Amino acid sequence: MQAAIRSFSQICLLVVITIVLVLSAQSATFSNASLHGSYAFLGNRWTADVNEPQGGMIGVMTFDGVGNFTESYTGMVNGLPTSGTFTGTYTVNPNGTGMLTYSTGWQWVFVVNSLSGKIAHGIQLVPITDMPPNEVGASTALLQSSTAKTYTVANLKGNFSFQSTEWTADPSQPIYAGNGLFAFDGKGNVKGSSSYMESGGTVQTETFTGTYTVNSDGIGTISLSTGTQYAFVLNTATAALANGLQIVQTNTTGNLAIGGIAQKQ
């Protein structure tokens, strides 16, 4: 009987050890190599101070896997269009947290997510450089591709559900939120419909047609028959087609920012 108990205990111990080893093997250890390739991002700057600028930007961050990155961006800050490029360095800790340091001195902390094939599929970022009181920034970046690619209008095709939201501290500006559907034909034409609410009023609906462009880095523009214009960036390109977009409206006026996301149906 004791021999049977001892044998059973040994088997249980072996099972426990096996489970621990499997879990240890599965637990991810991150490094600079976990960020490699191009990542499409949407960044927002929010403030409760009407005298400070609201902002929304989209763009592409490209990581080399060894601690260096470049960034190209476009968007709106305080009602004015902005665009440019940056360079910098990054570090990724073993637990997936990390820091970006721009050549300008700005610093952002981040955490990586959805590690697959040793490459992170996304990162969430928050700035730690001093900002004015009652102001905060945040950004989400999603993997475009771990290898260099060139994009065209053909990479954006199909139906995409979208959502957009306005941010402003100015009480004279109407607050806006909306959603809808884009239908891209892969040739530069788009049509769709949207529903939106402004300043707590009744929900309004509209249909539209328009055109779109896509630059080689996946950044593009949408011009709608309603007069609305967006800048966007492709993300999660699979089988040559984008699965999502991050968008910022580029023809707003006043101290506000309108941005959002679109996901392929």
Side-chain angles (χ1 to χ4, degrees):
M1 182 68 176
Q2 290 180 343
I5 294 175
R6 184 163 54 250
S7 176
F8 178 75
S9 299
Q10 290 172 342
I11 292 173
C12 290
L13 179 60
L14 179 61
V15 170
V16 171
I17 292 173
T18 301
I19 292 173
V20 170
L21 290 175
V22 169
L23 292 176
S24 297
Q26 291 178 341
S27 62
T29 299
F30 301 90
S31 69
N32 287 353
S34 302
L35 286 180
H36 190 273
S38 58
Y39 289 74
F41 73 86
L42 169 65
N44 292 289
R45 176 178 179 175
W46 300 294
T47 174
D49 186 345
V50 68
N51 296 311
E52 293 293 332
Q54 305 280 347
M57 290 187 291
I58 55 91
V60 177
M61 304 179 74
T62 303
F63 299 90
D64 66 1
V66 294
N68 305 289
F69 75 93
T70 60
E71 176 185 311
S72 59
Y73 68 91
T74 186
M76 296 287 286
V77 176
N78 201 18
L80 299 174
T82 182
S83 62
T85 59
F86 288 113
T87 61
T89 60
Y90 70 96
T91 56
V92 181
N93 301 318
N95 66 354
T97 62
M99 180 179 292
L100 298 178
T101 301
Y102 286 81
S103 56
T104 58
W106 303 333
Q107 290 186 313
W108 292 60
V109 291
F110 64 82
V111 60
V112 305
N113 61 56
S114 304
L115 189 68
S116 177
K118 299 183 178 180
I119 302 297
H121 283 190
I123 52 177
Q124 290 89 31
L125 308 101
V126 173
I128 59 172
T129 304
D130 287 344
M131 301 182 76
N134 257 354
E135 185 172 317
V136 69
S139 180
T140 298
L142 300 173
L143 181 66
Q144 276 187 330
S145 176
S146 58
T147 58
K149 286 189 177 182
T150 299
Y151 300 96
T152 69
V153 291
N155 295 110
L156 183 53
K157 185 177 181 179
N159 294 336
F160 288 71
S161 59
F162 72 87
Q163 170 271 326
S164 61
T165 306
E166 177 189 327
W167 305 95
T168 182
D170 187 347
S172 69
Q173 295 287 347
I175 295 294
Y176 162 95
N179 59 26
L181 183 69
F182 290 128
F184 300 100
D185 69 354
K187 299 178 182 179
N189 303 294
V190 61
K191 61 182 180 180
S193 61
S194 65
S195 299
Y196 62 93
M197 178 178 287
E198 199 170 69
S199 294
T202 58
V203 174
Q204 302 181 58
T205 62
E206 61 185 13
T207 59
F208 53 78
T209 59
T211 59
Y212 68 97
T213 66
V214 178
N215 300 329
S216 60
D217 61 358
I219 294 176
T221 62
I222 299 172
S223 297
L224 300 180
S225 56
T226 56
T228 302
Q229 297 178 358
Y230 294 106
F232 69 84
V233 60
L234 305 177
N235 63 57
T236 53
T238 304
L241 293 177
N243 288 337
L245 307 173
Q246 289 119 305
I247 59 176
V248 170
Q249 188 171 334
T250 54
N251 64 335
T252 56
T253 58
N255 191 6
L256 59 90
I258 297 176
I261 59 172
Q263 295 291 330
K264 190 171 186 179
Q265 289 185 320

